[in-house]
Amino acid sequence: MKTLGKRLRKFGLTLAEEKTKMIRFSRFEKEKNGTFDFLGFTYRWEKSRKGKDIITHKTSKKGFKKTIQKFKEWIRENRHCRLIKMFKELNTKLRGYYNYYGTIGNSKKITQVYRIVIKTLYKWLNRRSQRKSFIWEEFGGVIKRYKLLKPYIASKYQQMTIKTSC
């Protein structure tokens, strides 16, 4: 870490020691490896279905909790809006979430977020008046009518195409 600090100082940068740590992350010593969180993902070594060593990245626990909290808070604060406006804005938020976290190997987490959003919507939309607004079966129709965006994998591994000028 000292050599990294020297290198950064050469360019007028500093290293935040309290936020930085060195970990072992080698495919040859997977048992000794740790995992690390970076930009909302947890990275670790695992075996692929074909038996090859791969680095997987899934939504970190901290990022997942923060996302759920933000969605719940937004739904609670906007439950008074017209449904068409509410679903339009919610779809925008979900699209952004799926585009960032929708990676290969992370479909369980984005599906879990989708299900929690639906349950939260049901809870808070039923509290808009003195009596229950929806029953669960009817609520499924509302979700279809306003086209709540379903989870999808946004980033897939692209095949590199090499163009030659011959």
Side-chain angles (χ1 to χ4, degrees):
M1 202 142 39
K2 292 182 181 185
T3 56
L4 180 61
K6 279 185 192 177
R7 179 91 172 131
L8 290 172
R9 276 193 293 281
K10 181 178 176 182
F11 299 102
L13 302 171
T14 58
L15 189 64
E17 295 290 334
E18 67 277 359
K19 295 181 179 180
T20 308
K21 69 177 181 177
M22 297 288 282
I23 64 164
R24 179 181 304 273
F25 199 73
S26 167
R27 69 182 179 145
F28 301 111
E29 298 176 345
K30 288 188 280 306
E31 306 81 35
K32 297 179 183 177
N33 283 340
T35 61
F36 67 92
D37 291 346
F38 185 66
L39 296 176
F41 289 98
T42 299
Y43 292 85
R44 72 174 41 152
W45 281 102
E46 290 182 5
K47 291 269 188 195
S48 70
R49 286 186 270 176
K50 294 180 180 180
K52 294 185 179 183
D53 293 330
I54 58 170
I55 298 173
T56 60
H57 54 284
K58 298 181 180 172
T59 306
S60 67
K61 288 181 183 179
K62 185 178 177 183
F64 182 76
K65 285 181 183 179
K66 188 187 247 184
T67 298
I68 295 301
Q69 186 62 36
K70 283 185 177 182
F71 271 117
K72 285 182 176 182
E73 187 176 317
W74 185 86
I75 291 169
R76 184 178 53 81
E77 289 173 358
N78 292 284
R79 68 179 183 246
H80 65 280
C81 296
R82 290 187 162 268
L83 290 181
I84 193 162
K85 180 183 175 199
M86 183 181 192
F87 275 87
K88 185 178 178 183
E89 287 186 39
L90 185 59
N91 278 339
T92 303
K93 292 178 180 306
L94 285 171
R95 184 175 297 110
Y97 180 79
Y98 299 154
N99 285 342
Y100 187 75
Y101 288 102
T103 60
I104 293 173
N106 200 26
S107 61
K108 286 182 183 177
K109 284 291 188 186
I110 63 173
T111 302
Q112 196 174 0
V113 167
Y114 175 74
R115 288 182 179 152
I116 291 171
V117 164
I118 288 176
K119 288 178 184 176
T120 307
L121 267 173
Y122 180 73
K123 172 186 172 181
W124 286 107
L125 290 180
N126 267 328
R127 294 182 178 192
R128 291 185 354 158
S129 65
Q130 309 306 338
R131 58 192 172 102
K132 221 173 186 182
S133 303
F134 301 104
I135 56 172
W136 188 250
E137 292 78 23
E138 182 184 310
F139 188 68
V142 170
I143 288 175
K144 284 181 185 174
R145 185 175 344 134
Y146 293 106
K147 298 179 179 120
L148 186 65
L149 196 60
K150 292 185 178 178
Y152 60 88
I153 302 300
S155 62
K156 297 181 180 177
Y157 296 116
Q158 306 268 332
Q159 283 187 331
M160 282 183 41
T161 55
I162 300 172
K163 293 183 180 183
T164 57
S165 58
C166 295

